[in-house]
């Protein structure tokens, strides 16, 4: 129909990307499969995440998330790349469609796929990994994947000897 469209989003580099979400004005689809519970007329899309103000989904799967406070940190996919989808609401951090143990109140996203909360440093690669032995108070990373916590050096989530 004339109302059919593929939804787009702006990636972290400011480029407009096509998503895998589409709608016909009434029904929302993810990869051409109907997504139950989303309203097409108020749909927002950020990579693999989509919502309508009351419901949030990841790749078409409904999340038990607070839609009002929900925000996307990493979209998870675009025309150019696919990476770990990362988002948060007022009570949790989500890696793709999974709720994590990361503390949202103290969470800080760092350079090169690193993040930290008050207890741990995390590396976001194919999955969420705790960076073994890293001190979250002194940890810093640069845009080239190098990181340091005052005494120890790390690269891509692993401690260098």
């Amino acid at each position: 129909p004339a109302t059919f469209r593929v939804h787009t989003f702006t990636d972290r580099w400011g480029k407009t990307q096509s998503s895998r979400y589409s709608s016909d004005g009434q029904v929302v689809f993810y990869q051409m499969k109907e997504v139950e519970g989303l309203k097409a007329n108020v749909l927002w899309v950020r990579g693999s995440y989509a919502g309508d103000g009351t419901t949030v989904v990841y790749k078409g799967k409904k999340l038990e998330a607070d839609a009002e406070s929900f925000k996307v940190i990493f979209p998870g996919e675009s025309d150019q790349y696919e990476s770990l989808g990362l988002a948060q609401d007022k009570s949790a951090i989500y890696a793709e469609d999974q709720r994590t143990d990361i503390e949202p109140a103290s969470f800080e996203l760092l350079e090169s796929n690193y993040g930290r909360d008050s207890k741990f440093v995390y590396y976001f690669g194919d999955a969420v990994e705790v960076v073994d032995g890293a001190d979250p108070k002194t940890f810093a990373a640069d845009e080239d994947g190098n990181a340091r916590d005052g005494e120890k050096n790390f690269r891509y989530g692993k401690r260098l000897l």
Side-chain angles (χ1 to χ4, degrees):
T3 58
F4 186 82
R5 68 180 270 232
V6 173
H7 292 270
T8 60
F9 67 99
T10 303
D11 68 17
R12 61 183 166 175
W13 297 281
K15 294 183 180 179
T16 300
Q17 303 286 339
S18 295
S19 77
R20 296 179 184 166
Y21 288 95
S22 57
S23 66
D24 65 4
Q26 294 182 8
V27 178
V28 176
F29 304 92
Y30 180 77
Q31 294 184 326
M32 303 311 292
K33 293 180 183 155
E34 186 175 341
V35 179
E36 302 269 335
L38 284 182
K39 297 177 209 86
N41 61 333
V42 290
L43 184 71
W44 60 261
V45 173
R46 285 288 317 274
S48 299
Y49 292 98
D52 64 5
T54 57
T55 301
V56 178
V57 299
Y58 180 81
K59 293 186 176 181
K61 178 182 176 187
K62 185 177 179 182
L63 300 180
E64 295 302 321
D66 179 66
E68 286 186 23
S69 65
F70 194 86
K71 68 180 182 176
V72 177
I73 301 167
F74 284 142
E77 67 185 41
S78 75
D79 291 342
Q80 317 297 339
Y81 63 91
E82 185 151 345
S83 64
L84 182 73
L86 196 63
Q88 79 177 81
D89 68 11
K90 65 184 179 185
S91 62
I93 302 287
Y94 300 86
E96 299 185 339
D97 61 347
Q98 300 298 308
R99 190 180 175 113
T100 70
D101 291 331
I102 300 169
E103 294 178 341
S106 64
F107 179 71
E108 179 183 7
L109 185 64
L110 305 171
E111 291 285 341
S112 296
N113 292 6
Y114 287 101
R116 66 178 163 203
D117 64 14
S118 65
K119 297 187 258 180
F120 299 104
V121 174
Y122 305 91
Y123 184 74
F124 305 107
D126 292 333
V128 178
E129 302 170 25
V130 173
V131 180
D132 205 26
D135 178 6
K137 292 181 187 84
T138 60
F139 193 88
D142 66 24
E143 62 187 30
D144 295 322
N146 301 305
R148 184 168 178 79
D149 75 351
E151 298 177 8
K152 301 175 284 302
N153 293 306
F154 302 85
R155 184 149 176 90
Y156 302 118
K158 305 293 181 207
R159 184 175 176 183
L160 299 175
L161 301 176

